[in-house]
Amino acid sequence: MEDLERQFTDIKDQLHQERLTEIENKLKEIENETASEYLNPLTELKEEMRMRTEVAEIWRELELMNIQNKSECEDKATRENYESDKIILFDTVKFELEDKIRRLEEDRHSLDISSDLWNESQQNIKKKKKSQSHSEKRRKPVTVSGPYIVYLLKDIEIIEDWTTIKKAVKQSQQKKKTESFIYKTEKHPYTARFDDGKLFYEGEWYNRGHHIIIDNREDSPVHATVTAINTGEVWVKRSDGNKSKLYIAQLQKGKYTIRHVPY
């Protein structure tokens, strides 16, 4: 019985020693990075790292391309906005200067008329004085028969009235020209004209900031916003961010039609 117990103890010690040796060998393999239990997960981790690194590089390249495209688009939009604003400013200043020149021409014309009338009145006054002095020398009685008119206005008042009449006549002539121009434009299929900074088109008014829909015979309808209106054209900003202009003559001929965006 004792012999069996001794053999069992020896076998147990032997198994313990073998197990300990096996564990120590595995530990050494792990420390040397040669154990299969370590190498397989390590290989999977390295593959996952490689894939994630490749994805990160691709994502980085795409982000850089996106930033570059945005920068180019912003630069292009800024240049186009600058050019359009410059054209609008040029047209506005040109229109104001032409209007000032027209008014100065009218004032100069009125001053020329007043100057001519003043010179003529002075000559008449001198002639009148001469005739009065000559008649005083003769001292002959003057008899007046029949109806007569006595003028109580002074010469300067007559000049002012004459100037006012000439201005009214000139304004009437300009109004007739304007009406004639409107009559000519009515010959076009569509009614479109510039009036006091606004656009009158087919019975409706369009102002800066209005949202409109542009219809074209060739393309599909486009949504846009009115940015500026002058005597000959309408500047709009399309929904894609691009700016363009519509000539009022094109609206009159029907090449483009516009309408308010329904709300």
Side-chain angles (χ1 to χ4, degrees), residues 201-218:
Y201 177 75
E202 290 296 297
E204 294 184 350
W205 290 100
Y206 294 83
N207 206 345
R208 183 177 180 180
H210 283 184
H211 299 285
I212 62 173
I213 298 175
I214 304 172
D215 293 312
N216 190 359
R217 298 175 182 176
E218 300 176 355

Side-chain angles (χ1 to χ4, degrees), residues 2-249:
E2 292 178 0
D3 187 33
L4 288 174
E5 289 179 357
R6 185 178 53 79
Q7 290 179 0
F8 177 76
T9 302
D10 292 339
I11 293 171
K12 183 179 177 181
D13 292 338
Q14 185 179 358
L15 289 174
H16 175 72
Q17 188 65 35
E18 290 178 357
R19 185 64 177 167
L20 183 61
T21 303
E22 182 179 356
I23 292 173
E24 289 177 353
N25 292 333
K26 283 291 182 184
L27 183 60
K28 289 180 180 179
E29 289 180 357
I30 292 171
E31 290 177 353
N32 296 329
E33 297 183 356
T34 57
S36 60
E37 292 84 352
Y38 173 79
L39 292 177
N40 293 333
L42 181 63
T43 303
E44 294 178 359
L45 287 174
K46 287 183 178 180
E47 182 66 20
E48 183 179 356
M49 182 187 70
R50 186 186 63 79
M51 293 180 63
R52 294 183 66 177
T53 304
E54 289 182 358
V55 171
E57 287 293 331
I58 295 172
W59 181 260
R60 177 176 173 274
E61 293 295 330
L62 293 175
E63 286 291 334
L64 289 175
M65 290 176 61
N66 188 25
I67 293 171
Q68 185 176 0
N69 291 333
K70 285 184 179 180
S71 176
E72 292 176 356
C73 291
E74 288 291 336
D75 184 55
K76 183 178 179 182
T78 303
R79 287 198 302 270
E80 291 179 354
N81 190 22
Y82 167 75
E83 293 295 333
S84 63
D85 289 344
K86 184 173 72 173
I87 293 172
I88 292 170
L89 179 62
F90 176 79
D91 293 338
T92 303
V93 174
K94 180 181 177 183
F95 176 76
E96 291 177 355
L97 291 176
E98 289 177 350
D99 185 62
K100 289 181 180 179
I101 291 171
R102 179 180 60 79
R103 291 181 182 179
L104 289 173
E105 289 292 335
E106 292 178 357
D107 294 340
R108 184 178 66 82
H109 184 69
S110 301
L111 290 173
D112 291 342
I113 294 172
S114 300
S115 177
D116 293 339
L117 288 174
W118 175 259
N119 294 331
E120 185 177 354
S121 64
Q122 292 298 322
Q123 292 177 0
N124 291 333
I125 290 171
K126 290 180 181 179
K127 289 181 181 179
K128 196 174 189 181
K129 287 182 179 179
K130 288 182 180 179
S131 62
Q132 285 179 356
S133 62
H134 184 67
S135 61
E136 286 178 357
K137 290 180 180 180
R138 293 184 179 180
R139 294 186 181 278
K140 290 184 179 181
V142 178
T143 58
V144 179
S145 62
Y148 60 92
I149 299 174
V150 178
Y151 295 95
L152 300 179
L153 294 175
K154 297 180 181 179
D155 293 335
I156 188 64
E157 294 175 341
I158 295 173
I159 292 172
E160 291 177 354
D161 292 342
W162 177 250
T163 303
T164 303
I165 292 170
K166 291 295 290 182
K167 284 185 177 180
V169 170
K170 189 170 184 64
Q171 290 177 356
S172 177
Q173 291 175 352
Q174 290 179 350
K175 185 176 180 182
K176 288 181 180 179
K177 290 180 180 179
T178 304
E179 291 176 351
S180 175
F181 175 76
I182 293 173
Y183 174 75
K184 290 179 180 179
T185 56
E186 288 177 351
K187 293 181 180 180
H188 295 292
Y190 295 89
T191 302
R193 70 173 185 272
F194 171 81
D195 189 359
D196 193 21
K198 296 181 289 185
L199 173 68
F200 181 77
Y201 177 75
E202 290 296 297
E204 294 184 350
W205 290 100
Y206 294 83
N207 206 345
R208 183 177 180 180
H210 283 184
H211 299 285
I212 62 173
I213 298 175
I214 304 172
D215 293 312
N216 190 359
R217 298 175 182 176
E218 300 176 355
D219 300 329
S220 58
V222 176
H223 288 256
T225 303
V226 179
T227 57
I229 303 173
N230 53 44
T231 54
E233 56 200 19
V234 179
W235 283 90
V236 298
K237 184 177 182 180
R238 299 175 180 265
S239 57
D240 57 1
N242 294 326
K243 287 190 175 182
S244 60
K245 60 183 175 181
L246 305 175
Y247 292 100
I248 294 180

